Amino acid sequence: MTDTLDSTLASLYPEHLSILQQRAAEALQRAELDHLVVPAGVLRYQYFDDRDYPFAVNPQFKAWLPVTQAPGSWLVITPGSKPRLIFMQPHDYWHTVPSDPTGYWPSEFEISIIRTPDEALKLLPSNPARCAILGEDNAALGPFVPNNPPAVLDYLEFHRHAKTAYEIAMMREATRIGVIGHRAAEQAFRDGLSEFDIHLAYCAATRQDANDLPYCNIIGLNEHAAVLHYMTRDRQAPTQTRSFLIDAGASYQGYASDITRTYSTQQDEFQALIDAVDRVQLDLCAQVLPGTDYRDIHMNTHTALSQVLRDFDLIRCSPEAALSSRISNAFFPHGVGHPIGLQVHDVAGFHASDRGGRIDRPEGQPYLRMTRTLVENSVVTIEPGLYFIDMLLDELRPTPANSDVNWDRVAAFKPFGGIRIEDNVVATRNGAVNLTREAFAAD
Ligand code: GLY
Ligand code: MN
Ligand code: MN
């Protein structure tokens, strides 16, 4: 962490904490409870084995403080009192013990160090029945069994969608790190390396590996770009490399970035198609504004991409006809994006209000991950794509839409796999702030 970033975070953290405290107080009042109790979580073990999985901290825990490696720790939030952290530092010479709290945040907490999980019991509130305990079942400790009251979760998750200035600074840093990896990966692709070696170049440049990255890197050459979540990574470079799709993010203190770029080796028609999707993507990013219904951005994506398909003579019908016959779903078979923050696919994409309720997806759009209206400081991804996926295209052949598809053109593009371009964008009153483009523009 640079001094400048550290001081920015230090200056923004008190406001972040105060917003979280206000939210916790309101959520507890709604549930008529006294304390918010949040276990960081416990290690999970592989079945029939003594190997633990990488620790994934409870997002409700890391929302409060930049600590992600803290199995066995607990937070206790009581309105009107300083937040309490029960911090587990086991006597353990087999593993790294979580380091002592340092930096800008510990002074905001009453901190108790424990050495064994059970020691938390005497520090947690006296009456578990008065607590909203947020976490997974296996974090239960004695009578402190996670109860996840819906009134509390609905409130906290709904409001977590709007990021604080501190969180946006975290995500800006996660994006900056991811872009360093993307630059290295593009160079590795242009050098003709294999998918596996491009992945290693990405990890080396970001200084992050599988334990750190917010999701498994998607690194596909040629036809592999058509597999939406391709994670196989060939060790051998193909004899001819034509195209490259990379969907890879980075983490910073528990926050994620989620970035996709697509490249062609030549200044060819595939590059022209990438450029056309890029123009569509920028136009969609500009629609990320408070008050915009995210479903509209998704449907606008279908219309704009169908126009691109038509411009490239891949289809011969109007965009409206492509939508109604579901041709556009065959070429663009996922949602335009999702909320992002503490989780890559952040919570509460469908919440109708902070008292619950769900906003359904538009008909025929089963993979859209967000349906709510953007608010100030919503952070979402915008990730349109066009793919040449046999399974989906074959489903069009027996339908009347068959005659609207130019199959010769589809065959010409199929060896390139597909295109996706993904940025992380903040909705603000002054317009859409594109964290990803900002980071690519900086040097
Ligand atoms: N990286 C997964 C996604 O874009 O949603
Ligand atoms: Mn995404
Ligand atoms: Mn992605």
Side-chain angles (χ1 to χ4, degrees):
M1 178 159 41
T2 63
D3 286 351
T4 328
L5 177 59
D6 203 13
S7 61
T8 301
L9 294 173
S11 70
L12 297 174
Y13 184 65
E15 189 200 24
H16 171 74
L17 198 56
S18 154
I19 290 169
L20 261 53
Q21 283 175 295
Q22 286 163 33
R23 289 181 193 161
E26 175 63 25
L28 288 168
Q29 194 174 33
R30 289 183 179 201
E32 298 181 6
L33 293 169
D34 300 332
H35 311 277
L36 193 65
V37 172
V38 188
V42 293
L43 288 171
R44 292 164 176 243
Y45 289 84
Q46 295 180 25
Y47 208 56
F48 291 137
D49 206 331
D50 65 356
R51 293 183 61 204
D52 50 336
Y53 290 106
F55 179 67
V57 69
N58 178 355
Q60 295 285 356
F61 182 93
K62 65 176 173 172
W64 289 84
L65 71 181
V67 172
T68 55
Q69 289 304 317
S73 294
W74 296 73
L75 276 174
V76 180
I77 313 296
T78 307
S81 302
K82 197 167 184 178
R84 287 202 291 128
L85 170 64
I86 302 167
F87 192 53
M88 169 88 160
Q89 284 183 309
H91 283 300
D92 179 355
Y93 58 88
W94 292 92
H95 307 101
T96 310
V97 173
S99 44
D100 288 337
T102 54
Y104 54 81
W105 62 270
S107 61
E108 306 283 351
F109 289 82
E110 208 74 68
I111 300 177
S112 309
I113 306 290
I114 57 171
R115 303 297 183 193
T116 65
D118 286 356
E119 284 177 57
L121 278 173
K122 59 181 185 298
L123 296 164
L124 288 166
S126 55
N127 186 357
R130 300 298 311 150
C131 300
I133 308 167
L134 308 186
E136 61 178 340
D137 292 348
N138 63 3
L141 180 68
F144 288 87
V145 179
N147 52 4
N148 299 316
V152 173
L153 276 182
D154 281 340
Y155 188 84
L156 295 182
E157 290 188 343
F158 181 85
H159 290 286
R160 201 173 101 196
H161 177 76
K163 273 45 184 184
T164 65
Y166 169 80
E167 292 182 294
I168 291 170
M170 293 286 215
M171 296 175 75
R172 192 169 259 124
E173 180 63 6
T175 306
R176 188 187 71 80
I177 299 167
V179 165
I180 292 170
H182 272 259
R183 290 192 199 289
E186 183 191 353
Q187 189 56 53
F189 152 71
R190 301 218 182 269
D191 290 345
L193 299 194
S194 70
E195 291 164 346
F196 188 74
D197 287 314
I198 296 171
H199 167 72
L200 293 182
Y202 184 93
C203 291
T206 56
R207 316 304 293 158
Q208 298 195 5
D209 68 8
N211 287 348
D212 315 299
L213 295 170
Y215 57 92
C216 187
N217 283 352
I218 297 166
I219 291 191
L221 295 172
N222 301 341
E223 289 87 346
H224 294 163
V227 181
L228 297 184
H229 282 173
Y230 175 81
M231 293 171 194
T232 313
R233 293 180 202 138
D234 279 352
R235 265 61 172 173
Q236 290 288 320
T239 39
Q240 191 205 6
T241 298
R242 293 176 288 275
S243 58
F244 173 39
L245 186 153
I246 171 169
D247 182 342
S251 300
Y252 187 69
Q253 310 271 6
Y255 287 84
S257 61
D258 181 5
I259 305 166
T260 309
R261 288 293 181 267
T262 310
Y263 304 98
S264 182
T265 44
Q266 313 284 326
Q267 282 305 321
D268 51 11
E269 250 201 319
F270 186 65
Q271 183 61 53
L273 191 59
I274 295 171
D275 293 341
V277 174
D278 194 58
R279 284 191 291 275
V280 166
Q281 198 266 0
L282 282 173
D283 184 49
L284 296 168
C285 289
Q287 297 173 32
V288 176
L289 298 170
T292 301
D293 185 333
Y294 196 72
R295 292 173 298 183
D296 290 343
I297 303 183
H298 177 74
M299 296 317 296
N300 292 343
T301 310
H302 273 278
T303 306
L305 290 175
S306 297
Q307 185 62 51
V308 170
L309 290 170
R310 190 182 158 110
D311 292 345
F312 279 75
D313 198 25
L314 281 152
I315 62 171
R316 291 185 161 154
C317 58
S318 68
E320 295 69 34
L323 260 73
S324 61
S325 66
R326 303 268 158 92
I327 289 181
S328 64
N329 277 16
F331 288 96
F332 170 51
H334 57 75
V336 69
H338 47 86
I340 180 168
L342 288 165
Q343 293 160 247
V344 180
H345 296 158
D346 212 5
V347 290
F350 302 95
H351 282 41
S353 79
D354 60 15
R355 294 185 185 275
R358 184 187 157 91
I359 304 169
D360 288 334
R361 298 181 172 100
E363 205 204 323
Q365 301 300 321
Y367 298 113
L368 182 58
R369 287 201 174 94
M370 171 162 155
T371 52
R372 64 192 279 184
T373 293
L374 295 161
V375 294
E376 197 176 358
N377 296 325
S378 293
V379 186
V380 296
T381 70
I382 294 291
E383 47 183 305
L386 282 181
Y387 310 87
F388 302 94
I389 303 172
D390 282 334
M391 189 187 104
L392 299 179
L393 293 170
D394 285 348
E395 287 170 8
L396 292 177
R397 288 184 195 267
T399 74
N402 180 50
S403 57
D404 288 332
V405 177
N406 184 346
W407 294 103
D408 289 342
R409 293 285 285 167
V410 168
F413 279 105
K414 236 175 69 74
F416 298 92
I419 297 168
R420 179 162 66 255
I421 299 172
E422 175 174 27
D423 291 343
N424 304 164
V425 187
V426 191
T428 83
R429 264 182 300 193
N430 300 321
V433 174
N434 190 323
L435 300 178
T436 315
R437 300 274 170 162
E438 274 181 8
F440 271 107
D443 241 341

